[in-house]
Amino acid sequence: MADKLKGPFRYDIVGSFLRTQAIHEARAQHAAGKISFEQLREVEDAEIAKLIEKEKAAELHAVTDGEFRRRWWHLDWLAGFNGIKVYDFKTAGFGIEKVMQGTYVDSPLSFDPNHPFLDGFRRTQRLAGDTPVKQTIAGPNMVTLDSVVLSQQYAANPVYANLDELRHDLAKTYRDAIRAFHDAGCRYLQLDDTSWGALFSGRFRAKIEACGYDPDELIDVFGDITDEALENRPEDMVITTHMCKGNFMSHWLYEGTYETIARRLLGIRGFDGFFLEYDDERSGGFEPLKHLPQDTDQRVVLGLVTTKKPELADAERIRERIAEAAKIVPLERLCLSPQCGFSSTEEGNSVAEEDQWRKLALVREVAESVWDDA
C-alpha cells in the first residue's frame, strides 16, 4: 500500500496548523451570533486556501486544512456521531482556567452520513486542486477511553452490556466513516488516537483501574476495535495512525515508553503507517519498534521535531537519531515528521507562525539528505 501513493511520505505532517487571526475572529463572531455558519465557512475556506498555498510552497506531498474548521482535534469529529453526547465543564488544569468539553456514549453508536467533516473535506479538496488532501480524524479508541471507560456519565447509564458489544458498533461506525471519505474522494486518511498513551502512563492506568477496568486487557480491546474498524478497507486508500502523548497549548498528558503497547499497536496490519512521537526523553528509545511486523511494507514516521517549543532542532542530531532507529527498522520503512500538529486545539502551541514553517523546512531538509526518494 505505501508504494501506491508513497504515503506516508518521507517528510510528512501530522495535520494541524496555528489558527490565523481571521479564523479566531470569525469563530468568535459566529459564537456571538453576528455571522451565519455559512459566513464562517467562507472565512474558513479563504484562510484554508492561503494555508494550502503555504503548504505547497513548503513542497509537502499532501496538504491538510490545518484543522481550521475545528475547536478541538477530536471532539468536533466525535460530536458528529450518532450516540455521542458532548458536555461542558470548567477546569484549571495546566494552570489554565478554561471551559473544556467532554463526551460520553448515551445511545447506540453509528455514523451520520451527513457528518460535517465530509463537507469540509470536499471544500478543502476543491481548494487543493490536484494536490492530495490528507484528512485527519480522531481514532476509535478516543470513544472507548474517554466516552466509556473513564466516563462517570456512561458508568451511571451504560448503553452496552460489555466492551464486546461496544466494539462491534464502534468498529462499524468507523468502517462507514472510512467508506464515506473514500466515496468523497479521500485517498489519505489518518486516525489520530492518543488514547493508547493512557495504557502505559502510570497515572492514567491508576484511573482506569479505579473505574473498574484492567489497562492490560484494554490493550487488546483497543487493538481488536481498531482491527475490526479497518476490515475491508479500500485498497486504494492510504490509512495511517498518529499517537502522541498529549498536545494542549504546548503541554503533554502522558509519559512512559511505547513498550507496553507496541506489540499490539504495531501489530495492526490495516494501517499503512504509524506516526509516533519521539521528540524528547519521555518517548523512550526505539527498541519497541522491533514489534513492527517484518512481512509488511508498513512505515514508521518518526516524530523527531517538536511542535511544542520554538527552538529548532539540530539537523545532524536528527540524522543520528534516524540512524539509531534504522538499526531496528530498515531505513526504507522510516519517514520523518513533526511529533504532533502545531495546534491540536484552537489556542495553538507556544510557537509563532514562522516557527512552524521553519520546522517543516528542517523536516524536509533532513529527509532529502537521508532518503533518495524524498
Side-chain angles (χ1 to χ4, degrees), residues 79-116:
F81 287 0
N82 298 320
I84 291 286
K85 180 73 172 180
V86 180
Y87 64 95
D88 294 341
F89 65 96
K90 292 183 179 180
T91 183
F94 305 114
I96 304 163
E97 292 188 6
K98 180 176 172 60
V99 175
M100 303 286 281
Q101 289 184 305
T103 61
Y104 62 94
V105 175
D106 71 343
S107 60
L109 293 164
S110 65
F111 183 69
D112 183 350
N114 296 313
H115 196 296

mmCIF file of all heavy atoms in Angstrom, residues 79-116:
data_model
loop_
_atom_site.group_PDB
_atom_site.id
_atom_site.type_symbol
_atom_site.label_atom_id
_atom_site.label_comp_id
_atom_site.label_asym_id
_atom_site.label_seq_id
_atom_site.Cartn_x
_atom_site.Cartn_y
_atom_site.Cartn_z
ATOM 1 N N ALA A 79 -18.349 14.547 18.004
ATOM 2 C CA ALA A 79 -19.666 15.152 18.212
ATOM 3 C C ALA A 79 -20.608 14.898 17.044
ATOM 4 O O ALA A 79 -21.832 14.988 17.202
ATOM 5 C CB ALA A 79 -19.518 16.657 18.442
ATOM 6 N N GLY A 80 -20.054 14.567 15.873
ATOM 7 C CA GLY A 80 -20.881 14.309 14.703
ATOM 8 C C GLY A 80 -21.411 12.899 14.622
ATOM 9 O O GLY A 80 -22.159 12.569 13.692
ATOM 10 N N PHE A 81 -21.053 12.032 15.574
ATOM 11 C CA PHE A 81 -21.561 10.653 15.597
ATOM 12 C C PHE A 81 -22.959 10.609 16.196
ATOM 13 O O PHE A 81 -23.282 11.375 17.114
ATOM 14 C CB PHE A 81 -20.667 9.759 16.465
ATOM 15 C CG PHE A 81 -19.340 9.408 15.871
ATOM 16 C CD1 PHE A 81 -18.951 9.864 14.628
ATOM 17 C CD2 PHE A 81 -18.464 8.596 16.566
ATOM 18 C CE1 PHE A 81 -17.719 9.535 14.084
ATOM 19 C CE2 PHE A 81 -17.226 8.249 16.050
ATOM 20 C CZ PHE A 81 -16.858 8.720 14.801
ATOM 21 N N ASN A 82 -23.748 9.687 15.741
ATOM 22 C CA ASN A 82 -24.973 9.346 16.457
ATOM 23 C C ASN A 82 -24.582 8.556 17.699
ATOM 24 O O ASN A 82 -23.809 7.597 17.616
ATOM 25 C CB ASN A 82 -25.891 8.486 15.578
ATOM 26 C CG ASN A 82 -26.335 9.204 14.324
ATOM 27 O OD1 ASN A 82 -26.632 10.391 14.338
ATOM 28 N ND2 ASN A 82 -26.390 8.482 13.211
ATOM 29 N N GLY A 83 -25.085 8.980 18.861
ATOM 30 C CA GLY A 83 -24.808 8.255 20.097
ATOM 31 C C GLY A 83 -23.776 8.895 21.003
ATOM 32 O O GLY A 83 -23.495 8.374 22.081
ATOM 33 N N ILE A 84 -23.201 10.031 20.592
ATOM 34 C CA ILE A 84 -22.205 10.727 21.421
ATOM 35 C C ILE A 84 -22.809 12.009 21.986
ATOM 36 O O ILE A 84 -23.391 12.813 21.258
ATOM 37 C CB ILE A 84 -20.944 11.087 20.612
ATOM 38 C CG1 ILE A 84 -20.166 9.824 20.235
ATOM 39 C CG2 ILE A 84 -20.055 12.051 21.396
ATOM 40 C CD1 ILE A 84 -19.403 9.181 21.371
ATOM 41 N N LYS A 85 -22.661 12.188 23.267
ATOM 42 C CA LYS A 85 -23.122 13.404 23.947
ATOM 43 C C LYS A 85 -21.907 14.230 24.347
ATOM 44 O O LYS A 85 -20.956 13.728 24.947
ATOM 45 C CB LYS A 85 -23.919 13.033 25.204
ATOM 46 C CG LYS A 85 -24.448 14.213 25.987
ATOM 47 C CD LYS A 85 -25.618 14.878 25.281
ATOM 48 C CE LYS A 85 -26.253 15.942 26.170
ATOM 49 N NZ LYS A 85 -27.396 16.604 25.480
ATOM 50 N N VAL A 86 -21.928 15.522 24.012
ATOM 51 C CA VAL A 86 -20.857 16.450 24.369
ATOM 52 C C VAL A 86 -21.358 17.372 25.477
ATOM 53 O O VAL A 86 -22.488 17.859 25.419
ATOM 54 C CB VAL A 86 -20.407 17.281 23.154
ATOM 55 C CG1 VAL A 86 -19.287 18.239 23.539
ATOM 56 C CG2 VAL A 86 -19.944 16.372 22.015
ATOM 57 N N TYR A 87 -20.529 17.603 26.485
ATOM 58 C CA TYR A 87 -20.922 18.472 27.591
ATOM 59 C C TYR A 87 -19.758 19.385 27.959
ATOM 60 O O TYR A 87 -18.598 19.084 27.687
ATOM 61 C CB TYR A 87 -21.365 17.651 28.805
ATOM 62 C CG TYR A 87 -20.268 16.803 29.407
ATOM 63 C CD1 TYR A 87 -19.517 17.268 30.489
ATOM 64 C CD2 TYR A 87 -19.972 15.542 28.894
ATOM 65 C CE1 TYR A 87 -18.503 16.508 31.037
ATOM 66 C CE2 TYR A 87 -18.950 14.768 29.437
ATOM 67 C CZ TYR A 87 -18.220 15.251 30.508
ATOM 68 O OH TYR A 87 -17.208 14.497 31.042
ATOM 69 N N ASP A 88 -20.062 20.504 28.596
ATOM 70 C CA ASP A 88 -19.057 21.471 29.019
ATOM 71 C C ASP A 88 -18.711 21.291 30.497
ATOM 72 O O ASP A 88 -19.567 20.896 31.304
ATOM 73 C CB ASP A 88 -19.562 22.907 28.816
ATOM 74 C CG ASP A 88 -19.745 23.264 27.351
ATOM 75 O OD1 ASP A 88 -19.171 22.569 26.489
ATOM 76 O OD2 ASP A 88 -20.478 24.236 27.063
ATOM 77 N N PHE A 89 -17.473 21.595 30.846
ATOM 78 C CA PHE A 89 -17.078 21.640 32.250
ATOM 79 C C PHE A 89 -15.908 22.599 32.391
ATOM 80 O O PHE A 89 -15.168 22.847 31.433
ATOM 81 C CB PHE A 89 -16.711 20.248 32.784
ATOM 82 C CG PHE A 89 -15.485 19.639 32.144
ATOM 83 C CD1 PHE A 89 -14.233 19.754 32.740
ATOM 84 C CD2 PHE A 89 -15.582 18.928 30.955
ATOM 85 C CE1 PHE A 89 -13.107 19.189 32.163
ATOM 86 C CE2 PHE A 89 -14.459 18.352 30.359
ATOM 87 C CZ PHE A 89 -13.225 18.485 30.965
ATOM 88 N N LYS A 90 -15.746 23.155 33.585
ATOM 89 C CA LYS A 90 -14.670 24.100 33.831
ATOM 90 C C LYS A 90 -13.463 23.379 34.428
ATOM 91 O O LYS A 90 -13.602 22.437 35.193
ATOM 92 C CB LYS A 90 -15.139 25.203 34.791
ATOM 93 C CG LYS A 90 -16.196 26.128 34.203
ATOM 94 C CD LYS A 90 -16.564 27.230 35.181
ATOM 95 C CE LYS A 90 -17.612 28.164 34.580
ATOM 96 N NZ LYS A 90 -17.988 29.258 35.531
ATOM 97 N N THR A 91 -12.294 23.838 34.054
ATOM 98 C CA THR A 91 -11.074 23.236 34.571
ATOM 99 C C THR A 91 -10.005 24.302 34.757
ATOM 100 O O THR A 91 -10.043 25.354 34.119
ATOM 101 C CB THR A 91 -10.553 22.149 33.609
ATOM 102 O OG1 THR A 91 -9.392 21.528 34.191
ATOM 103 C CG2 THR A 91 -10.148 22.742 32.268
ATOM 104 N N ALA A 92 -9.065 24.010 35.646
ATOM 105 C CA ALA A 92 -7.908 24.887 35.836
ATOM 106 C C ALA A 92 -6.632 24.104 35.590
ATOM 107 O O ALA A 92 -5.575 24.430 36.100
ATOM 108 C CB ALA A 92 -7.916 25.483 37.235
ATOM 109 N N GLY A 93 -6.734 23.028 34.818
ATOM 110 C CA GLY A 93 -5.578 22.195 34.517
ATOM 111 C C GLY A 93 -4.494 22.954 33.773
ATOM 112 O O GLY A 93 -4.775 23.886 33.013
ATOM 113 N N PHE A 94 -3.235 22.570 33.989
ATOM 114 C CA PHE A 94 -2.064 23.196 33.375
ATOM 115 C C PHE A 94 -1.958 24.677 33.747
ATOM 116 O O PHE A 94 -1.307 25.456 33.061
ATOM 117 C CB PHE A 94 -2.103 23.068 31.850
ATOM 118 C CG PHE A 94 -2.244 21.660 31.356
ATOM 119 C CD1 PHE A 94 -3.385 21.253 30.682
ATOM 120 C CD2 PHE A 94 -1.237 20.739 31.568
ATOM 121 C CE1 PHE A 94 -3.514 19.950 30.229
ATOM 122 C CE2 PHE A 94 -1.353 19.434 31.115
ATOM 123 C CZ PHE A 94 -2.505 19.040 30.446
ATOM 124 N N GLY A 95 -2.637 25.075 34.843
ATOM 125 C CA GLY A 95 -2.608 26.467 35.243
ATOM 126 C C GLY A 95 -3.452 27.362 34.363
ATOM 127 O O GLY A 95 -3.311 28.581 34.391
ATOM 128 N N ILE A 96 -4.351 26.745 33.576
ATOM 129 C CA ILE A 96 -5.181 27.494 32.634
ATOM 130 C C ILE A 96 -6.636 27.313 33.000
ATOM 131 O O ILE A 96 -7.133 26.182 33.075
ATOM 132 C CB ILE A 96 -4.950 26.996 31.187
ATOM 133 C CG1 ILE A 96 -3.474 27.079 30.818
ATOM 134 C CG2 ILE A 96 -5.799 27.779 30.196
ATOM 135 C CD1 ILE A 96 -3.102 26.253 29.604
ATOM 136 N N GLU A 97 -7.335 28.396 33.262
ATOM 137 C CA GLU A 97 -8.770 28.315 33.522
ATOM 138 C C GLU A 97 -9.505 28.371 32.187
ATOM 139 O O GLU A 97 -9.341 29.314 31.426
ATOM 140 C CB GLU A 97 -9.220 29.460 34.434
ATOM 141 C CG GLU A 97 -8.679 29.350 35.853
ATOM 142 C CD GLU A 97 -9.292 30.389 36.780
ATOM 143 O OE1 GLU A 97 -10.220 31.103 36.337
ATOM 144 O OE2 GLU A 97 -8.858 30.473 37.936
ATOM 145 N N LYS A 98 -10.307 27.341 31.924
ATOM 146 C CA LYS A 98 -10.927 27.241 30.614
ATOM 147 C C LYS A 98 -12.172 26.375 30.702
ATOM 148 O O LYS A 98 -12.233 25.439 31.500
ATOM 149 C CB LYS A 98 -9.934 26.628 29.606
ATOM 150 C CG LYS A 98 -10.479 26.484 28.191
ATOM 151 C CD LYS A 98 -9.393 25.962 27.263
ATOM 152 C CE LYS A 98 -9.961 25.626 25.882
ATOM 153 N NZ LYS A 98 -10.556 26.788 25.218
ATOM 154 N N VAL A 99 -13.161 26.697 29.885
ATOM 155 C CA VAL A 99 -14.310 25.814 29.725
ATOM 156 C C VAL A 99 -13.915 24.722 28.737
ATOM 157 O O VAL A 99 -13.633 24.997 27.569
ATOM 158 C CB VAL A 99 -15.552 26.576 29.217
ATOM 159 C CG1 VAL A 99 -16.696 25.597 28.945
ATOM 160 C CG2 VAL A 99 -15.987 27.618 30.240
ATOM 161 N N MET A 100 -13.830 23.508 29.231
ATOM 162 C CA MET A 100 -13.446 22.364 28.408
ATOM 163 C C MET A 100 -14.707 21.600 28.006
ATOM 164 O O MET A 100 -15.821 21.937 28.425
ATOM 165 C CB MET A 100 -12.497 21.456 29.177
ATOM 166 C CG MET A 100 -11.249 22.143 29.670
ATOM 167 S SD MET A 100 -10.052 22.493 28.378
ATOM 168 C CE MET A 100 -9.297 20.884 28.196
ATOM 169 N N GLN A 101 -14.520 20.549 27.217
ATOM 170 C CA GLN A 101 -15.641 19.702 26.826
ATOM 171 C C GLN A 101 -15.260 18.243 26.996
ATOM 172 O O GLN A 101 -14.091 17.869 26.880
ATOM 173 C CB GLN A 101 -16.034 19.967 25.365
ATOM 174 C CG GLN A 101 -16.696 21.327 25.160
ATOM 175 C CD GLN A 101 -17.167 21.524 23.730
ATOM 176 O OE1 GLN A 101 -16.394 21.405 22.798
ATOM 177 N NE2 GLN A 101 -18.444 21.821 23.568
ATOM 178 N N GLY A 102 -16.239 17.451 27.310
ATOM 179 C CA GLY A 102 -16.069 16.013 27.417
ATOM 180 C C GLY A 102 -17.155 15.313 26.630
ATOM 181 O O GLY A 102 -18.082 15.947 26.109
ATOM 182 N N THR A 103 -17.038 13.996 26.523
ATOM 183 C CA THR A 103 -18.027 13.215 25.778
ATOM 184 C C THR A 103 -18.371 11.944 26.539
ATOM 185 O O THR A 103 -17.590 11.457 27.362
ATOM 186 C CB THR A 103 -17.499 12.808 24.387
ATOM 187 O OG1 THR A 103 -16.332 11.987 24.557
ATOM 188 C CG2 THR A 103 -17.151 14.011 23.538
ATOM 189 N N TYR A 104 -19.547 11.411 26.259
ATOM 190 C CA TYR A 104 -19.894 10.067 26.710
ATOM 191 C C TYR A 104 -20.896 9.467 25.733
ATOM 192 O O TYR A 104 -21.581 10.190 24.994
ATOM 193 C CB TYR A 104 -20.437 10.057 28.143
ATOM 194 C CG TYR A 104 -21.724 10.826 28.374
ATOM 195 C CD1 TYR A 104 -22.967 10.187 28.317
ATOM 196 C CD2 TYR A 104 -21.700 12.186 28.684
ATOM 197 C CE1 TYR A 104 -24.140 10.887 28.554
ATOM 198 C CE2 TYR A 104 -22.862 12.897 28.923
ATOM 199 C CZ TYR A 104 -24.087 12.237 28.863
ATOM 200 O OH TYR A 104 -25.249 12.931 29.090
ATOM 201 N N VAL A 105 -20.931 8.154 25.704
ATOM 202 C CA VAL A 105 -21.878 7.453 24.850
ATOM 203 C C VAL A 105 -23.221 7.416 25.558
ATOM 204 O O VAL A 105 -23.314 6.916 26.682
ATOM 205 C CB VAL A 105 -21.388 6.022 24.540
ATOM 206 C CG1 VAL A 105 -22.442 5.247 23.758
ATOM 207 C CG2 VAL A 105 -20.077 6.069 23.762
ATOM 208 N N ASP A 106 -24.260 7.968 24.905
ATOM 209 C CA ASP A 106 -25.568 7.996 25.554
ATOM 210 C C ASP A 106 -26.635 7.205 24.800
ATOM 211 O O ASP A 106 -27.783 7.119 25.247
ATOM 212 C CB ASP A 106 -26.029 9.438 25.779
ATOM 213 C CG ASP A 106 -26.415 10.161 24.502
ATOM 214 O OD1 ASP A 106 -26.030 9.688 23.404
ATOM 215 O OD2 ASP A 106 -27.105 11.193 24.599
ATOM 216 N N SER A 107 -26.264 6.611 23.659
ATOM 217 C CA SER A 107 -27.174 5.769 22.881
ATOM 218 C C SER A 107 -26.327 4.968 21.898
ATOM 219 O O SER A 107 -25.139 5.262 21.724
ATOM 220 C CB SER A 107 -28.226 6.619 22.162
ATOM 221 O OG SER A 107 -27.619 7.534 21.266
ATOM 222 N N PRO A 108 -26.887 3.965 21.233
ATOM 223 C CA PRO A 108 -26.087 3.148 20.314
ATOM 224 C C PRO A 108 -25.365 3.995 19.269
ATOM 225 O O PRO A 108 -25.917 4.944 18.716
ATOM 226 C CB PRO A 108 -27.118 2.217 19.677
ATOM 227 C CG PRO A 108 -28.167 2.074 20.737
ATOM 228 C CD PRO A 108 -28.260 3.420 21.389
ATOM 229 N N LEU A 109 -24.130 3.631 18.988
ATOM 230 C CA LEU A 109 -23.271 4.405 18.091
ATOM 231 C C LEU A 109 -23.530 4.071 16.625
ATOM 232 O O LEU A 109 -23.762 2.919 16.275
ATOM 233 C CB LEU A 109 -21.805 4.123 18.397
ATOM 234 C CG LEU A 109 -21.275 4.613 19.741
ATOM 235 C CD1 LEU A 109 -19.943 3.935 20.059
ATOM 236 C CD2 LEU A 109 -21.113 6.129 19.738
ATOM 237 N N SER A 110 -23.466 5.096 15.785
ATOM 238 C CA SER A 110 -23.476 4.896 14.330
ATOM 239 C C SER A 110 -22.929 6.143 13.670
ATOM 240 O O SER A 110 -22.847 7.210 14.282
ATOM 241 C CB SER A 110 -24.890 4.586 13.816
ATOM 242 O OG SER A 110 -25.757 5.692 14.005
ATOM 243 N N PHE A 111 -22.552 6.005 12.399
ATOM 244 C CA PHE A 111 -22.005 7.130 11.649
ATOM 245 C C PHE A 111 -23.118 7.878 10.949
ATOM 246 O O PHE A 111 -23.989 7.276 10.309
ATOM 247 C CB PHE A 111 -20.980 6.642 10.620
ATOM 248 C CG PHE A 111 -20.325 7.770 9.861
ATOM 249 C CD1 PHE A 111 -19.444 8.628 10.499
ATOM 250 C CD2 PHE A 111 -20.610 7.985 8.527
ATOM 251 C CE1 PHE A 111 -18.846 9.679 9.819
ATOM 252 C CE2 PHE A 111 -20.007 9.023 7.823
ATOM 253 C CZ PHE A 111 -19.130 9.877 8.478
ATOM 254 N N ASP A 112 -23.097 9.192 11.071
ATOM 255 C CA ASP A 112 -24.070 10.048 10.397
ATOM 256 C C ASP A 112 -23.553 10.358 8.994
ATOM 257 O O ASP A 112 -22.509 10.994 8.849
ATOM 258 C CB ASP A 112 -24.249 11.343 11.190
ATOM 259 C CG ASP A 112 -25.309 12.263 10.595
ATOM 260 O OD1 ASP A 112 -25.780 11.987 9.466
ATOM 261 O OD2 ASP A 112 -25.658 13.260 11.252
ATOM 262 N N PRO A 113 -24.263 9.914 7.935
ATOM 263 C CA PRO A 113 -23.784 10.180 6.573
ATOM 264 C C PRO A 113 -23.722 11.659 6.226
ATOM 265 O O PRO A 113 -23.117 12.032 5.221
ATOM 266 C CB PRO A 113 -24.782 9.432 5.691
ATOM 267 C CG PRO A 113 -26.005 9.259 6.541
ATOM 268 C CD PRO A 113 -25.512 9.134 7.951
ATOM 269 N N ASN A 114 -24.335 12.496 7.058
ATOM 270 C CA ASN A 114 -24.267 13.944 6.864
ATOM 271 C C ASN A 114 -23.257 14.592 7.806
ATOM 272 O O ASN A 114 -23.361 15.793 8.099
ATOM 273 C CB ASN A 114 -25.651 14.563 7.066
ATOM 274 C CG ASN A 114 -26.656 14.090 6.038
ATOM 275 O OD1 ASN A 114 -26.371 14.073 4.835
ATOM 276 N ND2 ASN A 114 -27.834 13.678 6.496
ATOM 277 N N HIS A 115 -22.288 13.833 8.270
ATOM 278 C CA HIS A 115 -21.270 14.367 9.172
ATOM 279 C C HIS A 115 -20.621 15.593 8.521
ATOM 280 O O HIS A 115 -20.208 15.543 7.357
ATOM 281 C CB HIS A 115 -20.210 13.306 9.455
ATOM 282 C CG HIS A 115 -19.352 13.599 10.643
ATOM 283 N ND1 HIS A 115 -18.504 14.691 10.696
ATOM 284 C CD2 HIS A 115 -19.203 12.961 11.840
ATOM 285 C CE1 HIS A 115 -17.868 14.697 11.851
ATOM 286 N NE2 HIS A 115 -18.274 13.664 12.569
ATOM 287 N N PRO A 116 -20.505 16.706 9.262
ATOM 288 C CA PRO A 116 -19.962 17.942 8.663
ATOM 289 C C PRO A 116 -18.526 17.822 8.169
ATOM 290 O O PRO A 116 -18.100 18.603 7.323
ATOM 291 C CB PRO A 116 -20.074 18.961 9.804
ATOM 292 C CG PRO A 116 -20.241 18.167 11.054
ATOM 293 C CD PRO A 116 -20.956 16.921 10.650
#
